[in-house]
Amino acid sequence: MNLLAAGIAAGLAALGASFGIGMVVSKTVEGVARQPESRGPLQTIMFIGIGVVEAVPIMAIVIAFLLMFTF
């Protein structure tokens, strides 16, 4: 049962991260399309946002592995 729970947690974390990163990148592309001169600052903010969005599923996977091996 613990293996199933860890697998579901990892899958949902990956799904959420992919959705979040897709939203961040799509909004950045929209911003660059509207104001091409702001490409540099928007790209920097996009990479910071991707890092923040990606940190949450990594923590979720670590917690899933810890729960899987403790019981």
Side-chain angles (χ1 to χ4, degrees), residues 16-27 46 49-51 53-54 57:
S18 64
F19 181 73
I21 289 174
M23 293 294 293
V24 169
V25 172
S26 72
K27 296 299 180 180
M46 178 190 72
I50 287 174
V53 168
E54 193 65 31

Side-chain angles (χ1 to χ4, degrees), residues 1-43:
M1 197 61 146
N2 290 339
L3 294 174
L4 182 63
I8 290 172
L12 289 176
L15 182 68
S18 64
F19 181 73
I21 289 174
M23 293 294 293
V24 169
V25 172
S26 72
K27 296 299 180 180
T28 303
V29 169
E30 283 181 23
V32 171
R34 291 180 186 205
Q35 293 183 342
E37 66 275 1
S38 66
R39 179 180 177 262
L42 285 177
Q43 190 174 13

